[in-house]
Amino acid sequence: MALKLYGSAMSTCTSRVLTCFHEKSVDFELVPVDLFAGEHKQPPFLARNPFGQIPALEDGDLTLFESRAITSYVAEKFKGTGYDLIRHENLKEAALVKVWMEVESHQYNPAIAPIVYQLLVAPLQGKSPDQSIIDASVEKLGKVLDIYEARLTGTRYLAGDFYSLADLHHLPYTYYLMKTPAASVVDERPHVKAWWEDISSRPAFKKVAEGMKFGGK
Ligand code: GS8
């Protein structure tokens, strides 16, 4: 039975899971959830994620939410097929993948998400971007990326010389960031830029990016 993902192709957290599906070459069905109609706050969706946020996964009688927990489950369940995203045969490499997944979640995401929200989402909601939030977040993201620049001087990818779930988790938000003037925060750092060009050109993500459109951009 195919995995069922409830979400929206344009959403960053849904795209994170879709990219993982493509890397693993697993069968899935994307069940659209209409955020603009507030479907994610209605009882049928709340039964899948009581926090009312997309995406949610159904695999038989198992229901999961939180995109990073979903990708970890999929990468583990299908460790024998497709690209190995978690280095399951090497304990030390697997631990480094987990370290850099935590970094994305706790350092990178809190800095980048407000920039994408202010520059791409707020205008769609008829609000003007708040420049003070953008400036503070760009500064915060720059400090995180200074650490990435140093790290990527020694290794090709974040966890080592292998692409992993740690890199994959960065794709959706960075993809949207690169469509804004704040892209300079990546462009100014040569190793970060080369890493971005490398990970965003993988066929699995290119397929997903085709569906990532915010207001036609
Ligand atoms: C965040 C989910 C989330 O923010 C995860 O799955 O990784 N930590 C969770 N989902 C957003 C769309 S992300 O582009 C969402 O559902 N927003 C609508 C809302 O919060 O009402």
Side-chain angles (χ1 to χ4, degrees):
M1 195 172 36
L3 301 172
K4 265 191 187 176
L5 189 71
Y6 294 80
S8 156
M10 70 183 279
S11 116
T12 47
C13 300
T14 305
S15 303
R16 184 174 289 126
V17 177
L18 292 175
T19 308
C20 179
F21 287 161
H22 287 297
E23 287 286 357
K24 301 305 291 177
S25 301
V26 296
D27 284 340
F28 68 91
E29 181 192 347
L30 177 63
V31 184
V33 176
D34 189 344
L35 289 188
F36 296 102
E39 215 181 320
H40 55 310
K41 305 295 183 198
Q42 299 302 315
F45 186 81
L46 291 174
R48 298 191 172 94
N49 179 0
F51 293 100
Q53 289 189 316
I54 56 169
L57 178 84
E58 258 177 29
D59 183 14
D61 61 1
L62 176 70
T63 302
L64 299 175
F65 53 89
E66 286 296 339
S67 61
R68 297 165 183 86
I70 298 172
T71 57
S72 296
Y73 168 74
V74 170
E76 183 68 42
K77 174 165 179 172
F78 298 98
K79 60 185 171 200
T81 40
Y83 184 87
D84 178 13
L85 291 164
I86 49 172
R87 308 300 283 185
H88 69 278
E89 285 176 342
N90 184 317
L91 186 63
K92 289 183 183 171
E93 288 177 354
L96 285 164
V97 172
K98 291 196 178 93
V99 168
W100 287 93
M101 289 197 300
E102 292 291 327
V103 171
E104 183 279 328
S105 180
H106 298 292
Q107 308 283 352
Y108 191 79
N109 193 72
I112 196 170
I115 306 172
V116 170
Y117 177 80
Q118 292 298 328
L119 290 172
L120 295 180
V121 185
L124 287 185
Q125 298 174 332
K127 300 179 201 155
S128 346
D130 183 327
Q131 197 56 46
S132 63
I133 296 180
I134 297 169
D135 292 345
S137 302
V138 168
E139 195 189 334
K140 191 165 151 185
L141 184 61
K143 286 185 182 151
V144 174
L145 286 180
D146 283 341
I147 292 167
Y148 280 38
E149 181 66 13
R151 172 77 184 162
L152 293 166
T153 305
T155 57
R156 185 161 167 204
Y157 299 99
L158 289 172
D161 286 322
F162 48 85
Y163 178 73
S164 74
L165 215 45
D167 306 292
L168 183 154
H169 283 180
H170 290 75
L171 286 164
Y173 270 105
T174 314
Y175 176 75
Y176 283 132
L177 178 90
M178 297 310 283
K179 294 180 178 298
T180 74
S184 55
V185 80
V186 168
D187 291 335
E188 283 161 2
R189 293 169 173 83
H191 291 87
V192 172
K193 187 170 188 214
W195 165 77
W196 167 248
E197 281 170 0
D198 181 346
I199 65 172
S200 60
S201 63
R202 292 179 69 87
F205 181 65
K206 280 170 114 177
K207 252 182 240 158
V208 175
E210 285 166 18
M212 295 176 69
K213 297 204 167 38
F214 254 121
K217 281 191 197 170

